[in-house]
Amino acid sequence: MALDGLVIANLIKELNDTLLGGRINKISQPENDALVLLVKNNRSQYKLFLSANASLPLIYLTQENKPNPITAPNFCMLLRKHLNSARILSITQPGLERIIDIEIEHLNELGDVCTKHLITEIMGKHSNIIFCDDKNMIIDSIKHISGLVSSVREVLPGRDYFIPETQDKWNPLVVDCDHFLEKVMTKPLPISKALYTSLTGISPLIANELCHRASIDADASTSSLSELEQLHLYKNFERLMDAIKHQEFTPNIILKNGAPHEFSSTCLSIYEEEQHQDFDSISALLEQYYAQKNTISRIRQKSVDLRKIVTNAIERTRKKYDLQMKQLKDTDKRDKYKVYGELITAYGYNVEEGAKQMNALNYYTNEEVTIPLDPTLTPIDNAKKYFDKYSKLKRTFEALTKFTEETKEELEHLESISASLDIALQEEDLVQLKEELMEYGYMKRKFVSKKDAKKQKAASKPFHYISSDGFHMYVGKNNFQNDELTFKFAVGNDWWFHAKGMAGSHVIVKTNGEELPDRTFEEAGKLAAYYSKARELTKAEIDYTEKKNVKKPNGGKPGFVVYYTNYSLVIEPDITGIEEVK
């Protein structure tokens, strides 16, 4: 899940195909660490997005319009001064480094032709965009790195630009068999680690892929390989490097449960059993992949406070429930005390004064029992003592039975809110979750006008899917939506689905009076499994029944229902291929 040297090589090819020879028409800086270059070439217009964001460095062609600040930052103004109407001479990648060097030709103030370099380094937290002259002297950079920050390289105006060689790595495009066997395979490391720590631009993902192609355990030591296995690994490595040299790329995203999991510019046989999505453009891949990842990341960030509240409440309620269950278990001996009292009452007249115990036949089980006695009390008082213990434990049992049921319902309610937080994709989805937490006292209520509250509540809608057979399927994003779907939207003959025994969404399939095909039952079951706590399991049991069999108990919390007539199916929580209506 990184822009490794292969992906950068793929980008270089695409940028050369589209931007080479074009002129930079406009430069903007929408973020502190990002640029957008508007390039005109071959009667077309392209937007190149470059980001040196420490957590998400990126570079790709885009159609998206990004908002710009009213006043352009100094770095942007400098680039406009030098590069407006400048022509792109070359776009290169040194070795297989995660570096893109755009060489640009422009006219200076005197009308002389000059060349400059706009260099984008995709290196995690060390990412940067650096503007240099033709002698590799830094004119300026989007991030200034002084000697106090880095002892390896200063990135400041007037300093010489160079690529820092902080690790003993080799360019994989020029590594031959002897070098590979001598330098890489002699490292006392796991094979995959030896590959990505020895060769520039090779990520752990690609290292594992090479091992998989060679049918070698990536975690095995290099010393465990035979000569033949080492040679086989090199041949797979050589084929991959030849593909890069010949610019043969296959951009693709690996999907897990319909969500992006990994991406690469080469086929990943390591994920051959997973679904993949192929792209003609590496820019389109990166834009789609990171847009989805960014959406999930952003909503996770915005829901941090809610998650903390829910997690703390779940932990507190679970401790309370465990304590109540322990106390409830202690009341199991109440019936024994009742029997002791009855047996003392029946046979106590034979007990000698001061006796510490008595033996009697338990007429319920026909077994002889030994009953401890208080020698200071009469048999009648001993019997009364046991009856009092029985009465106290009985009252405790009755009270705790009610309390544990309430605590269990509260725990299930909180788990359902936690499941709803897991599937939230938009800020609007969090509004109803906040409302539910405030309604049940987990959060303090903040004043919101009725108009705004109504607008926010209406903004979030259930997920909407269409089955392969054309039936509409709806998935509640939270408990309020679950209730709305089940008891107001669905009618008697519509079908209702839910993960058995765990928190999850209600899934409603509209039948319009028709009989559902088996395939639609399976797809609705997959939705119920995926939008539940069973999402990470390989299989999940799903209960399903007609809506008319689902009831809301009096005083039941949102999303809580009961049903006594149902069918069950076991299904994978994989919704790949099910069409979603946006």
Side-chain angles (χ1 to χ4, degrees):
M1 196 188 300
L3 271 77
D4 54 29
L6 276 73
V7 174
I8 297 298
N10 194 171
L11 270 167
I12 292 293
K13 177 185 183 302
E14 183 168 281
L15 297 182
N16 275 307
D17 290 345
T18 53
L19 304 184
L20 195 62
R23 290 196 177 273
I24 298 173
N25 191 49
K26 188 177 179 182
I27 302 169
S28 58
Q29 190 172 340
E31 299 164 20
N32 289 335
D33 48 15
L35 293 174
V36 175
L37 305 183
L38 189 65
V39 181
K40 286 189 174 182
N41 193 31
N42 298 325
R43 298 183 180 180
S44 296
Q45 191 165 269
Y46 303 93
K47 287 178 189 171
L48 179 61
F49 177 69
L50 308 99
S51 171
N53 184 284
S55 58
L56 192 60
L58 279 172
I59 178 167
Y60 57 82
L61 294 168
T62 180
Q63 295 298 319
E64 184 184 353
N65 292 317
K66 298 182 182 291
N68 294 306
I70 297 173
T71 304
N74 291 337
F75 186 65
C76 179
M77 294 296 288
L78 176 73
L79 293 181
R80 286 177 181 176
K81 175 185 174 184
H82 288 275
L83 302 183
N84 261 344
S85 297
R87 189 165 68 92
I88 296 176
L89 294 179
S90 68
I91 304 172
T92 56
Q93 174 189 22
L96 209 61
E97 294 277 3
R98 292 173 295 163
I99 295 173
I100 294 179
D101 183 354
I102 303 176
E103 186 182 11
I104 300 160
E105 179 183 80
H106 71 105
L107 299 177
N108 65 13
E109 295 90 340
L110 301 175
D112 297 327
V113 176
C114 299
T115 57
K116 298 286 192 299
H117 293 263
L118 188 64
I119 302 167
T120 305
E121 298 182 338
I122 307 294
M123 297 179 178
K125 65 180 180 179
H126 303 296
S127 299
N128 211 337
I129 301 173
I130 305 169
F131 185 45
C132 300
D133 64 14
D134 58 346
K135 295 183 176 59
N136 276 339
M137 186 185 79
I138 298 172
I139 299 172
D140 205 351
S141 60
I142 208 161
K143 294 178 185 175
H144 287 181
I145 309 297
S146 69
L148 297 174
V149 177
S150 172
S151 60
V152 176
R153 179 185 67 163
E154 285 189 323
V155 182
L156 294 171
R159 300 290 193 271
D160 288 334
Y161 173 80
F162 62 93
I163 300 171
E165 295 182 5
T166 55
Q167 293 177 308
D168 189 17
K169 286 190 175 186
W170 299 278
N171 179 359
L173 296 173
V174 298
V175 167
D176 59 19
C177 184
D178 291 339
H179 197 161
F180 182 87
L181 298 176
E182 179 187 347
K183 299 294 185 181
V184 181
M185 289 295 100
T186 55
K187 285 193 171 183
L189 294 169
I191 301 162
S192 65
K193 191 171 183 180
L195 288 169
Y196 70 75
T197 56
S198 303
L199 302 167
T200 301
I202 301 296
S203 62
L205 173 65
I206 296 301
N208 285 328
E209 171 63 19
L210 287 169
C211 292
H212 186 264
R213 291 183 185 184
S215 302
I216 290 170
D217 182 3
D219 295 323
S221 171
T222 53
S223 59
S224 68
L225 294 184
S226 66
E227 259 185 64
L228 189 61
E229 286 173 323
Q230 289 184 13
L231 188 60
H232 186 41
L233 178 61
Y234 172 74
K235 287 298 181 184
N236 279 278
F237 165 76
E238 185 181 42
R239 279 194 288 272
L240 180 60
M241 292 304 108
D242 284 343
I244 295 171
K245 291 173 186 175
H246 291 94
Q247 299 186 331
E248 297 168 357
F249 300 106
T250 52
N252 66 98
I253 291 178
I254 302 299
L255 303 170
K256 277 195 175 181
N257 293 324
H261 177 68
E262 284 283 6
F263 70 85
S264 183
S265 287
T266 186
C267 291
L268 297 173
S269 62
I270 198 169
Y271 291 112
E272 59 189 350
E273 293 183 2
E274 302 290 345
Q275 189 189 19
H276 66 275
Q277 183 180 359
D278 293 329
F279 289 80
D280 295 327
S281 162
I282 186 64
S283 290
L285 180 154
L286 292 172
E287 190 165 25
Q288 178 175 314
Y289 181 90
Y290 282 108
Q292 292 185 35
K293 283 288 182 184
N294 192 39
T295 298
I296 294 169
S297 175
R298 189 179 70 252
I299 203 69
R300 285 292 171 99
Q301 215 167 16
K302 288 185 176 294
S303 64
V304 165
D305 291 341
L306 295 183
R307 286 178 183 279
K308 188 175 181 181
I309 290 168
V310 173
T311 301
N312 289 343
I314 287 174
E315 288 178 1
R316 187 168 61 249
T317 307
R318 188 171 283 128
K319 285 179 182 177
K320 178 181 173 182
Y321 181 70
D322 290 343
L323 179 61
Q324 288 175 339
M325 289 301 294
K326 184 181 177 184
Q327 291 172 333
L328 192 61
K329 188 172 178 59
D330 290 339
T331 66
D332 288 349
K333 36 193 174 180
R334 65 189 182 283
D335 289 332
K336 180 179 75 172
Y337 292 150
K338 180 185 177 184
V339 171
Y340 282 180
E342 290 176 354
L343 293 178
I344 294 171
T345 302
Y347 305 115
Y349 59 86
N350 287 328
V351 176
E352 296 180 5
E353 188 177 346
K356 294 184 178 179
Q357 63 181 39
M358 69 170 276
N359 296 321
L361 181 69
N362 183 346
Y363 40 70
Y364 291 108
T365 62
N366 285 326
E367 294 177 354
E368 187 172 283
V369 295
T370 300
I371 304 171
L373 298 174
D374 185 341
T376 63
L377 299 177
T378 64
I380 297 300
D381 288 337
N382 269 295
K384 183 177 181 300
K385 182 180 176 182
Y386 279 118
F387 282 132
D388 288 344
K389 281 185 177 181
Y390 162 73
S391 297
K392 183 178 179 182
L393 288 177
K394 183 184 177 185
R395 289 192 302 272
T396 303
F397 170 76
E398 290 170 349
L400 280 173
T401 300
K402 180 184 176 184
F403 292 152
T404 50
E405 189 61 35
E406 290 174 352
T407 306
K408 184 182 178 184
E409 286 181 10
E410 182 183 5
L411 190 57
E412 289 174 349
H413 182 212
L414 287 165
E415 291 283 5
S416 70
I417 297 175
S418 175
S420 297
L421 280 169
D422 289 340
I423 65 174
L425 295 176
Q426 300 173 344
E427 290 182 48
E428 292 85 353
D429 298 339
L430 302 178
V431 173
Q432 288 178 321
L433 292 172
K434 284 182 182 177
E435 175 61 31
E436 192 171 351
L437 288 169
M438 288 188 289
E439 187 173 314
Y440 285 87
Y442 298 109
M443 284 179 68
K444 289 184 179 178
R445 184 174 292 280
K446 295 180 181 179
F447 175 76
V448 179
S449 68
K450 288 184 178 179
K451 183 179 178 182
D452 289 342
K454 189 175 181 181
K455 190 187 297 182
Q456 289 175 333
K457 193 173 182 181
S460 179
K461 302 289 184 184
F463 294 113
H464 181 191
Y465 291 85
I466 296 180
S467 76
S468 300
D469 302 296
F471 289 89
H472 291 263
M473 304 180 290
Y474 298 86
V475 183
K477 292 180 179 177
N478 54 59
N479 288 320
F480 288 150
Q481 287 186 15
N482 287 337
D483 276 356
E484 184 82 17
L485 281 176
T486 301
F487 299 109
K488 293 184 179 179
F489 179 71
V491 296
N493 292 326
D494 292 336
W495 284 86
W496 178 92
F497 294 74
H498 192 275
K500 184 180 180 69
M502 62 180 65
S505 298
H506 294 194
V507 176
I508 295 294
V509 182
K510 298 293 288 182
T511 64
N512 299 319
E514 298 177 39
E515 188 174 337
L516 293 187
D518 289 345
R519 183 166 55 178
T520 295
F521 278 107
E522 290 173 3
E523 289 176 350
K526 287 181 177 182
L527 288 173
Y530 182 75
Y531 290 108
S532 76
K533 287 292 186 181
R535 179 183 287 201
E536 301 302 325
L537 304 178
T538 53
K539 296 280 186 182
E541 186 175 357
I542 305 299
D543 283 348
Y544 63 101
T545 185
E546 287 183 306
K547 182 266 168 186
K548 62 187 176 185
N549 298 321
V550 182
K551 308 296 179 188
K552 183 80 172 175
N554 291 332
K557 289 183 168 63
F560 183 74
V561 299
V562 293
Y563 51 94
Y564 302 104
T565 302
N566 68 277
Y567 305 93
S568 291
L569 61 86
V570 176
I571 201 102
E572 293 180 14
D574 182 0
I575 63 172
T576 304
I578 303 177
E579 181 187 352
E580 183 179 2
V581 180
K582 296 293 185 181

